[in-house]
Amino acid sequence: MISALIWIPIWGAAIIALLPAKIPSNRIRLGAALVAGITFAWNILILFQFDINNPNIQLQEYLPWNETLGLSYKLGVDGLSILMLLLNSLLTWIAIYSSSKETRRPRLFYSLVLLVSGGVAGAFAAQNLLLFFLFYELELIPFYLLISIWGGEKRNYAGIKFLIYTAVSGALILASFLGLVWLSGSSSFDYDAISTQTLSATLQLILLAGIVLGFGIKIPLIPLHTWLPDAYVEANTPIAILLGGVLAKLGTYGLLRFGLGLFPEAWSTLAPTLAIWGAISAMYGAVTAIAQKDIKRMVAYSSIGHMGYILLAAAASTPLALVGAVAQMFSHGIILGILFHLVGVVEAKVGTRELDKLNGLMSPVRGLPVISALLVLGGMASAGIPGMTGFVAEFIAFQGSFPVFPIQTILCVVATGLTAVYFVILLNRTCFGKLDNDLAYYPKVFWHEKMPAFILAGVIIFLGIQPTYLVRWSEPTTTQMVANIPAIQKTVIPRIAMNQSTFNSEQ
Amino acid sequence: MDFVNLASQLNAGTIVPEGIVIITFLGVLIVDLILGRSSSRWIGYLAVAGLLSSLVALYFQWDNSNPISFIGAFNGDDLSIVFRGIIALSAAITILMSIRYVEQSGTALAEFVAILLTATLGAMFLSGASELVMIFISLETLSISSYLLTGYTKRDPRSNEAALKYLLIGASSTAVFLYGVSLLYGLSGGQTELSAIATGIETANLGQSLGIVISLVFVIAGIGFKISAAPFHQWTPDVYEGAPTPVIAFLSVGSKAAGFALAIRILTTVFPLVADEWRFVFTALAVLSMILGNVVALAQTSMKRMLAYSSIAQAGFVMIGLIAGTEAGYSSMIFYLLVYLFMNLCGFTCVILFSLRTGTDQITEYSGLYQKDPLLTLGLSLSLLSLGGIPPLAGFFGKIYLFWAGWQAGLYGLVLLGLVTSVVSIYYYIRVVKMMVVKEPQEMSDVVKNYPPISWNLPGLRPLQIGLVTTLIATSIAGILSNPLFTLANNSVANTRILQESMAPSPQVSVVTSKLP
């Protein structure tokens, strides 16, 4: 079952790469969209097979591969990964669909996109640490090529930066995995064969730090984020959707699965630091986004901020907070998808992304009214306006985190407020105001160009009104994960209570 | 001593593979003498056939119950068989790629093939040699043939310079090695066979005396030269730049494999008492090689020089397995050398093909190649990415195994350095891929703009294509389907007596965890 999610795109990529060169770009694009559509349909099928009440790994597949290395082809899904797989196949389809009809070198482009999609699915489904690492490293070269062949002006710089950062991240993760498996004395790299119980607290902290830093580059957390603005801005629209929507989730997913899942004790020790880190990331992302003059860059920094909430919720690791974290991962994926898609359309039609040059796109006849309306919707969803999925996810995450880390949570709430600020700036400068009469002869936006945005907007609103469909998948799994974690309340809450009592005695 | 007894002591059957190589060598020479230049049409195939039948002979030697032959001078155990196989295979592929190259340079192919076969012979004997004089003779057979091959295109001043430089450095390092070997002979009380030297040293109770340490360092200097470990690497960039490209393809794989075979055999047999010392020295060499090889490769503009520094770095990675000194360590070395054979020869084949068609090997001249020659682009990209350790190619699995073995042996620092320098290496490997794949048609280099139409019909290009496709397929799938290779590497270590004796019992997991804080 799960294997098909990996191998349909990869075989599709192989077939597309071998097509004769004469086939026009658009045909290849449709072929790739077909492959991605089949994968997505298959994913929906898996969703029906998935037993929501079972917190364990389901739909397992196992093939022995390399016993010397302890590497086995072991796949499975649980509440943590099922939504991520869905997000991956949905966004892959959207990305391929929203790519330009006249893409240069289409065979290479679409086969790389499909290859990346298969690799990401493999990483989400892998239940073996080395297998995960294999799929994780598999993204490296295709994404590098996708950024540096089809990107913007500074694409070479952005591509190399992305490559080096991701390679360092891979090295850190591999070092931690090797250390973890060897020191804990596991027989293989299978996820369920590993237990960190025997390790001393210091060692657990060192290994966890390696994992946090490794995935922190991918998420990205400040100060490890500097590859992100360049890579997101220089990548073209479909690649930016995949980078921000899917690849960043690989980081948070890895953090939850391997950091929280394998090191429950060390996690509770490190949690206060991570919560502060998350809060700082959220604030930093919001504040820097305010200062940007380029809408894509603004959205990129907003992504840094939104990933901060996930880190906060993961650090709090109450059942509610973890549900919120998974929900935030999914909703951030689709919101970023719609935003990057719309920004791409605006750039294609208007020809600029500068806030100082854009104006009055809301104008019904000569502007881009539908695109602007969807942009308003996307901005609102990102800023956490009720009725849309962003609000649901953030609210659950904050409610779950508040009892454990009140101050950090309040900082994050302030950051959502700032998110609203820069999205209002963005909408104000782009959608409202007057069109420049000399320049405003924009091409028509075709129906099929709007379609991905409509689909994503529909999902955003549906999940905002019916949030059960967002949270029901991950609840049993996250509850079980939390059960393994020694309560952070014990380490943090008493201190606050103690502070209060000292206050009282001083009074 | 009656004849039957002598025959059983000689046990000449173990060197049948080498015998086939010798016959091929003589055949090549004689055919060339009789037929002259016109023989070059098929003399390459004759040599390849000889080498492949030698591989078949090696297959039948596997798990020989009585490997010691020639009164202790040669040991045909599974370790030597794997290394001889690697060397013969690298020579076969080298011949495939050199047919056109040598033709085009206007020199005789038969002499070239004959010298290459002699080098192969020396390297194969070196893999199994277990007696000092035998080691020295086979080492020198390999070295002198390498000098001759390096200066083979003698109208090219760079080739001359490279040969002279290689000869000077090589001769002095051989002298140093010989001095170390003579010390061993004296210290052991007049023994030349490796295991007898070990017992001689033990009975004389010379344990960790100064003499042993000096001879160890001298021997390591000789080995370090062959495997081009920093700081004995200085010949590598110049020789790689000057020598004919097929020659350095052989030097980077076959000669290096022979060096590692010698290292394993002599260090584990003769120097078990100073194991900590040689591990320490090799740790230093590995650290230097990984850092220097990878960092200096960043700044190279010529493809051959870059591959030279990359091969220094790869030697550094392989040394991790040697230092680990466990069963997994030796197996990971062998596995890595096997996949290194495929990816490096694939890379060199592409470099040769490009320089045959354009006459240059500057990295910047590769820009925009994807439009003109997709197969070459694919081959060079995959082999370089495999050298950089990108999944799912062969090099990824090789590196994982090396690092995993190193980690199991507690070499945390070395493995971390290996990981960091792999990241560095990705940068310079991807630089070439960027030139070929990423560059736009308008950024195409002049050489690629005037790229000749692709045809494989010229004499000698077809074997080149066969070699390219074979190594390319091996590089791409030897990782995913790596189980047979892993089994081969593990068995060769498990069935080899000298390694089993030398190996310390692998540390128990519980011991490790209790020792840690």
Side-chain angles (χ1 to χ4, degrees):
Chain A
M1 288 293 288
I2 315 280
S3 281
L5 290 183
I6 304 170
W7 293 107
I8 293 174
I10 291 183
W11 281 114
I15 291 168
I16 286 175
L18 295 176
L19 287 177
K22 277 178 277 178
I23 298 180
S25 170
N26 194 29
R27 285 277 178 78
I28 294 175
R29 170 171 159 268
L30 290 179
L34 182 71
V35 174
I38 294 171
T39 322
F40 181 59
W42 191 264
N43 219 325
I44 302 263
L45 203 71
I46 284 178
L47 218 54
F48 283 112
Q49 301 273 321
F50 185 77
D51 176 12
I52 297 174
N53 299 317
N54 181 355
N56 297 313
I57 308 284
Q58 305 176 33
L59 306 171
Q60 292 210 30
E61 282 172 34
Y62 177 80
L63 272 178
W65 188 354
N66 193 322
E67 279 173 23
T68 317
L69 289 180
L71 169 67
S72 64
Y73 182 77
K74 193 170 183 190
L75 304 178
V77 283
D78 63 358
L80 211 55
S81 47
I82 183 95
L83 276 183
M84 296 301 108
L85 285 169
L86 188 71
L87 181 71
N88 174 38
S89 50
L90 173 66
L91 286 186
T92 307
W93 183 77
I94 299 266
I96 290 173
Y97 197 87
S98 66
S99 60
S100 150
K101 277 184 178 177
E102 284 94 35
T103 309
R104 285 173 300 123
R105 296 164 73 181
R107 289 178 301 160
L108 186 62
F109 182 82
Y110 292 107
S111 52
L112 286 178
V113 168
L114 287 174
L115 185 65
V116 161
S117 168
V120 171
F124 282 135
Q127 297 297 325
N128 179 295
L129 265 57
L130 269 188
L131 187 67
F132 172 85
F133 180 73
L134 196 153
F135 281 123
Y136 187 81
E137 285 284 277
L138 197 60
E139 327 305 342
L140 190 64
I141 300 302
F143 260 116
Y144 165 75
L145 292 176
L146 286 170
I147 294 173
S148 40
I149 298 179
W150 292 275
E153 243 170 69
K154 275 169 63 190
R155 57 179 183 272
N156 276 329
Y157 172 73
I160 286 287
K161 208 167 171 184
F162 168 84
L163 182 83
I164 301 285
Y165 270 81
T166 315
V168 170
S169 147
L172 279 168
I173 291 168
L174 181 63
S176 314
F177 280 0
L178 293 180
L180 168 62
V181 172
W182 169 244
L183 295 174
S184 67
S186 308
S187 52
S188 74
F189 280 86
D190 283 348
Y191 184 76
D192 47 13
I194 295 164
S195 110
T196 56
Q197 298 299 322
T198 53
L199 297 183
S200 69
T202 338
L203 215 51
Q204 285 200 25
L205 270 183
I206 294 171
L207 292 172
L208 179 59
I211 286 185
V212 168
L213 287 178
F215 287 115
I217 292 175
K218 201 79 163 192
I219 292 177
L221 303 169
I222 57 157
L224 312 170
H225 68 283
T226 49
W227 63 270
L228 181 139
D230 292 308
Y232 282 21
V233 172
E234 295 306 323
N236 69 358
T237 306
I239 305 312
I241 291 174
L242 284 180
L243 264 178
V246 183
L247 209 64
K249 303 305 168 295
L250 214 53
T252 46
Y253 169 81
L255 202 61
L256 286 176
R257 168 81 70 201
F258 302 107
L260 197 152
L262 289 177
F263 298 92
E265 286 158 25
W267 185 266
S268 64
T269 321
L270 214 57
T273 322
L274 293 179
I276 295 170
W277 199 354
I280 293 174
S281 267
M283 288 296 279
Y284 173 88
V287 172
T288 28
I290 291 177
Q292 300 307 316
K293 295 285 174 211
D294 177 323
I295 47 178
K296 210 167 176 185
R297 211 163 252 278
M298 215 175 220
V299 176
Y301 276 106
S302 92
S303 170
I304 297 178
H306 284 80
M307 300 309 266
Y309 309 153
I310 300 174
L311 189 67
L312 171 77
S317 57
T318 57
L320 204 57
L322 281 193
V323 170
V326 177
Q328 171 71 2
M329 276 153 76
F330 187 79
S331 43
H332 174 255
I334 50 178
I335 293 171
L336 202 71
I338 193 173
L339 286 174
F340 272 139
H341 173 72
L342 293 171
V343 170
V345 173
V346 168
E347 191 190 1
K349 302 294 168 187
V350 183
T352 179
R353 293 194 312 251
E354 300 282 317
L355 276 182
D356 297 335
K357 291 180 186 155
L358 289 165
N359 228 341
L361 293 184
M362 204 63 145
S363 155
V365 184
R366 288 167 57 208
L368 312 168
V370 181
I371 295 298
S372 306
L374 288 166
L375 196 59
V376 172
L377 183 128
M380 278 161 54
S382 187
I385 304 292
M388 280 167 279
T389 172
F391 169 76
V392 177
E394 284 170 23
F395 186 74
I396 300 174
F398 292 154
Q399 206 191 354
S401 319
F402 187 74
V404 192
F405 300 116
I407 300 166
Q408 290 89 328
T409 311
I410 289 171
L411 277 176
C412 281
V413 173
V414 173
T416 47
L418 293 175
T419 309
V421 170
Y422 61 74
F423 270 114
V424 167
I425 295 176
L426 188 154
L427 298 175
N428 210 5
R429 297 274 187 85
T430 50
C431 302
F432 304 116
K434 266 186 172 175
L435 278 177
D436 187 334
N437 279 333
D438 296 331
L439 300 172
Y441 295 98
Y442 305 136
K444 197 166 174 285
V445 181
F446 292 104
W447 169 241
H448 64 84
E449 287 170 317
K450 298 175 205 162
M451 217 212 1
F454 274 119
I455 295 172
L456 287 174
V459 176
I460 289 171
I461 291 174
F462 174 74
L463 291 180
I465 297 167
Q466 281 293 336
T468 24
Y469 291 98
L470 183 62
V471 295
R472 62 199 287 222
W473 312 102
S474 59
E475 227 176 327
T477 309
T478 48
T479 315
Q480 198 192 38
M481 282 177 85
V482 170
N484 295 329
I485 299 176
I488 301 166
Q489 284 92 327
K490 280 180 204 149
T491 56
V492 180
I493 293 283
R495 207 170 56 209
I496 296 165
M498 213 166 60
N499 289 348
Q500 281 169 348
S501 65
T502 49
F503 279 134
N504 293 340
S505 63
E506 276 166 14
Q507 285 165 355
Chain B
M1 199 187 287
D2 61 286
F3 178 74
V4 178
N5 200 358
L6 184 69
S8 75
Q9 281 205 341
L10 279 182
N11 193 11
T14 45
I15 59 157
V16 168
E18 284 79 1
I20 296 175
V21 176
I22 294 178
I23 291 168
T24 319
F25 159 76
L26 292 174
V28 166
L29 276 188
I30 291 167
V31 165
D32 185 53
L33 266 181
I34 296 170
L35 295 180
R37 200 65 188 258
S38 62
S39 67
S40 68
R41 212 165 250 283
W42 47 273
I43 217 157
Y45 304 103
L46 175 70
V48 170
L51 285 166
L52 290 182
S53 43
S54 148
L55 272 176
V56 173
L58 277 173
Y59 173 79
F60 287 108
Q61 299 273 323
W62 185 258
D63 255 352
N64 192 345
S65 56
N66 179 21
I68 313 270
S69 53
F70 292 100
I71 324 179
F74 189 81
N75 193 343
D77 51 11
D78 286 357
L79 184 78
S80 81
I81 291 178
V82 168
F83 276 105
R84 285 144 85 196
I86 293 177
I87 291 157
L89 197 56
S90 74
I93 300 174
T94 306
I95 289 175
L96 284 182
M97 60 173 99
S98 56
I99 295 175
R100 179 76 207 154
Y101 190 96
V102 174
E103 271 311 82
Q104 199 152 318
S105 67
T107 41
L109 182 66
E111 280 167 46
F112 181 87
V113 170
I115 303 174
L116 185 67
L117 285 175
T118 318
T120 313
L121 205 59
M124 284 172 82
F125 274 126
L126 189 58
S127 308
S130 55
E131 203 254 7
L132 292 180
V133 179
M134 175 77 186
I135 288 176
F136 184 72
I137 290 174
S138 36
L139 184 68
E140 276 303 88
T141 311
L142 171 61
S143 298
I144 293 171
S145 325
S146 306
Y147 310 145
L148 292 174
L149 287 172
T150 305
Y152 194 72
T153 45
K154 53 182 179 287
R155 289 197 193 86
D156 180 358
R158 285 188 310 170
S159 180
N160 285 322
E161 187 196 326
L164 185 61
K165 217 170 210 168
Y166 193 25
L167 171 67
L168 287 177
I169 299 177
S172 39
S173 90
T174 317
V176 172
F177 181 80
L178 191 58
Y179 191 48
V181 163
S182 68
L183 269 178
L184 276 182
Y185 175 69
L187 286 167
S188 63
Q191 300 293 341
T192 57
E193 209 227 314
L194 294 186
S195 51
I197 293 174
T199 39
I201 289 169
E202 211 170 339
T203 47
N205 207 7
L206 286 166
Q208 301 184 333
S209 66
L210 189 63
I212 295 291
V213 174
I214 289 177
S215 71
L216 171 69
V217 172
F218 283 4
V219 165
I220 288 180
I223 295 170
F225 165 77
K226 269 275 160 280
I227 60 177
S228 57
F232 308 108
H233 69 281
Q234 273 104 342
W235 60 274
T236 321
D238 295 325
V239 169
Y240 277 41
E241 196 176 20
T245 319
V247 173
I248 58 177
F250 178 75
L251 287 186
S252 72
V253 179
S255 173
K256 204 165 264 192
F260 274 112
L262 171 65
I264 295 180
R265 197 167 293 278
I266 203 166
L267 291 175
T268 55
T269 326
V270 177
F271 297 108
L273 294 173
V274 283
D276 288 338
E277 279 77 4
W278 67 254
R279 295 238 158 85
F280 176 75
V281 175
F282 268 98
T283 309
L285 296 187
V287 168
L288 275 176
S289 305
M290 284 193 279
I291 293 178
L292 189 132
N294 281 311
V295 172
V296 179
L298 290 174
Q300 300 308 316
T301 53
S302 144
M303 194 68 196
K304 282 160 82 175
R305 265 188 108 81
M306 191 206 85
L307 284 172
Y309 281 104
S310 121
S311 89
I312 295 169
Q314 303 283 346
F317 291 134
V318 177
M319 273 186 265
I320 293 178
L322 183 66
I323 297 160
T326 56
E327 200 164 329
Y330 293 124
S331 321
S332 66
M333 272 177 86
I334 293 173
F335 181 76
Y336 199 80
L337 283 172
L338 269 169
V339 294
Y340 182 67
L341 166 95
F342 297 128
M343 51 201 188
N344 220 33
L345 289 182
C346 182
F348 273 116
T349 312
C350 295
V351 172
I352 288 173
L353 191 53
F354 185 75
S355 72
L356 282 179
R357 286 181 178 157
T358 62
T360 172
D361 56 32
Q362 292 297 307
I363 292 175
T364 44
E365 301 288 355
Y366 280 78
S367 22
L369 190 64
Y370 77 92
Q371 285 203 316
K372 300 287 175 121
D373 198 340
L375 176 68
L376 180 54
T377 309
L378 182 74
L380 193 52
S381 302
L382 284 187
S383 58
L384 289 180
L385 292 178
S386 179
L387 281 168
I390 300 294
L393 303 168
F396 171 78
F397 288 84
K399 266 191 189 158
I400 290 270
Y401 194 22
L402 271 177
F403 292 156
W404 180 225
W407 201 274
Q408 283 178 318
L411 307 170
Y412 306 120
L414 268 184
V415 173
L416 287 179
L417 184 69
L419 282 167
V420 171
T421 47
S422 306
V423 173
V424 176
S425 77
I426 288 176
Y427 179 80
Y428 61 79
Y429 290 128
I430 204 84
R431 207 158 59 102
V432 182
V433 178
K434 183 175 114 187
M435 284 297 165
M436 294 185 297
V437 182
V438 175
K439 291 284 182 187
E440 304 294 326
Q442 64 270 18
E443 294 170 311
M444 212 183 260
S445 68
D446 292 338
V447 166
V448 175
K449 270 181 200 148
N450 304 323
Y451 202 74
I454 295 165
S455 99
W456 300 99
N457 293 328
L458 285 169
L461 273 183
R462 196 60 76 178
L464 194 70
Q465 186 191 25
I466 291 168
L468 171 60
V469 171
T470 321
T471 48
L472 177 60
I473 291 174
T475 308
S476 356
I477 66 166
I480 297 165
L481 305 176
S482 53
N483 262 336
L485 289 183
F486 269 101
T487 319
L488 179 74
N490 290 342
N491 282 350
S492 71
V493 173
N495 297 341
T496 301
R497 240 189 48 229
I498 56 156
L499 293 182
Q500 294 301 322
E501 282 166 2
S502 75
M503 235 171 305
S506 59
Q508 292 300 307
V509 175
S510 54
V511 180
V512 171
T513 42
S514 63
K515 259 195 291 184
L516 287 155

